[in-house]
Amino acid sequence: MEDNPGELWIDQGRDLFYQKRGPRNASLEQCDFGMGPGKLEGAAVRLPRYFADTDRVEDLESRLLTCMTRLQGFDRGQLIREAISAPASRGSDIEALALYVTSRSNGMKVNVTLNHQKEYDMYKAGEYLFYRRSGQTDFGCVQCHGEPDKRIRLQDLVHMTSKAGAQEVASTWPAYRGSHYVVRTMQWRLNDCVWQMRLPDLKYATDYSIALTTYLNRQGNDAVMQVPGFKR
Amino acid sequence: MKTSWIKWTLSAATGLVVAGCATYPDQETTRQMAEKMVFEAFTASPAHMKRLEQDRSQQICSKIGDAKLSAEEAAEVVKLARASIRYPASGRLSGDWKAGDRLAHDGSGDRIRNGKTEPNKENGALCQNCHALAPGEINVGNVGPSLTGYGKQRGNSEAIVKYTYEKIYNAWMYFPCSNMPRLGATGHLTPEQIAHMVAYLLDPQSPINQ
């Protein structure tokens, strides 16, 4: 783990978290990731979850958007346009923040629980979407991620219908992606999957990706969080 | 300002309100919610939005978890597949194995970024992504079965040519709901391109049969 270049993004994320920034000149210390304002320990391992103040189930990245707009006054559209950085860039603020917040759960077990009706709904919708085939490739997620020891060309595919595979998904994002020289998030991962599936441009932080993340992370419960992951 | 922050953060206490009676939604409610999510999740022109719509076979073939395809459903998928098959205008189901070789190793075509599809002249056939091809090729996937020696094992009788063509055009005619894309039926490949793939698989000169 010491050799993971993604470690650098943790420091960047910590700085961004505590700096007073944005039109309201505020830090993110009052941001509530579900454990109370500013409480980061163990927050990421329980995401996505329902938030009463938005009346939505939010994943980490949509929660960051909520806080950066409400607390700091940033423009949501602008944040979304910049959320996924160019390869070999210094990365986006959200990428660094997502990694920092998740790193504060390192060593803890993933524990996505379903309490609110909207959490049950998200979980079931995510499961449905995992198996939903469409487009000219007839692909759902399960076509590539439903069996063990499979590869696309030389790229290993995570076996997400197994406990161990789902746990890998739930505990290794955000991750440093070697071929991109930047830290990537779960929203990016899903975006890239649907691109290969020949679907149109996936919007950032919509219910579609939050549902899939809710499903996969809950399937991955009890994995020990360890970020940044390292991906090819 | 401070007061409004406090109000906001207090109201963020999560997940407690409706905890009593919450449970999994039923199948039909789940379907409706998830389908709504699909059509709200993408930025696309009307033409590209069509890619999100499932045809009847895709609906049948999206079984959740261990749910099994019934005999009636399998029969319907096969019937729809049979009806989907189109042959090249020339009537020749086997084309140029060299063109097929090139297409088999091309995994690009028709992907969408920022509303624009890739500028390829034609779509790649995607074979290498999932199948072992000529002997000794290392950069090949294993999601589907190995195709090494495909023609050597089967010969190239008229029946095999026709079967191979139809299998690529719409794999679900023979294996309903298999992972293999219905490359012709969905419009990813043209009948002429599929004929090149047939030649690549069956021609004794093709590297896949060496």
Side-chain angles (χ1 to χ4, degrees):
Chain A
M1 188 53 70
E2 290 85 33
D3 292 336
N4 188 330
E7 296 282 336
L8 297 170
W9 270 255
I10 296 182
D11 296 337
Q12 196 183 320
R14 185 190 298 111
D15 290 346
L16 288 167
F17 193 87
Y18 291 102
Q19 270 167 25
K20 292 186 172 165
R21 306 170 66 235
R24 300 214 182 130
N25 195 35
S27 76
L28 286 171
E29 286 166 277
Q30 290 302 309
C31 185
D32 184 352
F33 292 92
M35 312 296 281
K39 291 207 166 56
L40 300 184
E41 264 70 35
V45 286
R46 302 185 70 111
L47 294 173
R49 70 188 293 171
Y50 175 77
F51 290 88
D53 55 8
T54 54
D55 191 31
R56 282 188 68 196
V57 174
E58 295 179 274
D59 66 346
L60 174 57
E61 287 160 81
S62 46
R63 193 61 186 164
L64 280 166
L65 282 176
T66 297
C67 286
M68 292 171 83
T69 50
R70 290 192 176 186
L71 294 174
Q72 297 181 308
F74 283 114
D75 177 66
R76 187 182 165 88
Q78 185 71 17
L79 289 174
I80 286 174
R81 278 192 293 281
E82 293 168 357
I84 295 176
S85 65
S89 67
R90 58 179 286 279
S92 76
D93 291 352
I94 288 190
E95 285 163 345
L97 284 163
L99 176 57
Y100 170 63
V101 173
T102 310
S103 75
R104 297 287 300 271
S105 288
N106 272 349
M108 297 179 197
K109 283 187 176 174
V110 174
N111 182 21
V112 176
T113 54
L114 306 179
N115 295 306
H116 195 278
Q117 185 58 48
K118 289 191 176 180
E119 293 170 340
Y120 281 96
D121 293 350
M122 270 297 182
Y123 174 83
K124 273 306 212 188
E127 180 189 48
Y128 176 97
L129 296 171
F130 187 84
Y131 291 94
R132 185 186 192 273
R133 305 181 75 168
S134 68
Q136 70 208 58
T137 59
D138 288 315
F139 286 160
C141 306
V142 72
Q143 269 59 54
C144 284
H145 296 290
E147 289 175 80
D149 306 317
K150 292 297 182 185
R151 300 185 324 266
I152 291 287
R153 303 193 192 204
L154 287 182
Q155 176 66 42
D156 290 325
L157 297 163
V158 181
H159 178 204
M160 295 181 191
T161 52
S162 75
K163 183 76 183 168
Q167 289 186 321
E168 185 180 334
V169 174
S171 62
T172 60
W173 294 97
Y176 182 78
R177 182 136 197 231
S179 58
H180 287 197
Y181 307 100
V182 285
V183 161
R184 292 300 190 200
T185 66
M186 188 62 179
Q187 286 285 336
W188 169 83
R189 180 59 269 176
L190 293 170
N191 188 296
D192 209 55
C193 278
V194 304
W195 172 73
Q196 282 289 12
M197 293 160 77
R198 269 72 181 173
L199 298 184
D201 292 298
L202 181 61
K203 293 182 204 164
Y204 192 78
T206 58
D207 283 349
Y208 175 94
S209 43
I210 295 168
L212 279 168
T213 306
T214 303
Y215 171 65
L216 290 169
N217 283 7
R218 180 164 164 80
Q219 297 302 102
N221 270 356
D222 298 321
V224 176
M225 185 65 81
Q226 196 54 255
V227 295
F230 190 93
K231 316 276 177 184
R232 178 185 63 95
Chain B
M1 177 81 100
K2 257 196 181 143
T3 341
S4 72
W5 279 12
I6 289 164
K7 257 191 213 153
W8 179 61
T9 49
L10 280 178
S11 71
T14 52
L16 303 169
V17 190
V18 198
C21 51
T23 185
Y24 291 114
D26 63 42
Q27 221 178 325
E28 181 53 24
T29 311
T30 301
R31 190 189 68 77
Q32 286 174 17
M33 286 187 305
E35 287 295 326
K36 186 164 174 280
M37 288 178 191
V38 169
F39 289 94
E40 290 172 350
F42 296 86
T43 313
S45 66
H48 285 166
M49 279 305 254
K50 283 217 189 317
R51 295 189 184 191
L52 302 170
E53 289 170 17
Q54 290 180 304
D55 67 19
R56 174 70 185 152
S57 301
Q58 287 171 331
Q59 285 171 1
I60 294 172
C61 293
S62 297
K63 292 283 177 206
I64 292 171
D66 297 329
K68 291 276 174 289
L69 196 64
S70 72
E72 292 76 20
E73 288 171 325
E76 187 177 352
V77 170
V78 168
K79 194 177 158 204
L80 287 165
R82 191 170 292 134
S84 76
I85 308 278
R86 299 288 176 275
Y87 300 97
S90 68
R92 290 185 58 234
L93 302 192
S94 186
D96 170 8
W97 68 258
K98 284 179 183 157
D101 190 359
R102 182 175 48 74
L103 287 166
H105 294 86
D106 185 350
S108 68
D110 250 355
R111 289 172 294 199
I112 300 170
R113 197 73 100 190
N114 299 323
K116 293 197 176 70
T117 47
E118 287 174 289
N120 303 29
K121 271 210 316 240
E122 58 179 345
N123 288 338
L126 320 177
C127 314
Q128 178 191 12
N129 288 343
C130 296
H131 297 281
L133 300 174
E137 282 189 51
I138 290 175
N139 188 18
V140 290
N142 68 349
V143 174
S146 167
L147 299 174
T148 307
Y150 182 96
K152 220 175 182 176
Q153 292 152 17
R154 291 169 179 79
N156 55 1
S157 67
E158 206 175 310
I160 288 292
V161 168
K162 186 162 184 287
Y163 167 79
T164 304
Y165 181 92
E166 290 169 345
K167 176 76 192 298
I168 301 169
Y169 196 97
N170 192 331
W172 297 358
M173 180 170 158
Y174 296 101
F175 299 92
C177 301
S178 82
N179 287 337
M180 168 99 177
R182 298 167 297 164
L183 291 166
T186 65
H188 185 79
L189 296 180
T190 65
E192 289 71 24
Q193 285 180 303
I194 293 174
H196 295 324
M197 302 322 302
V198 171
Y200 172 65
L201 286 169
L202 295 179
D203 195 304
Q205 301 298 310
S206 166
I208 214 166
N209 295 319
Q210 301 313 303

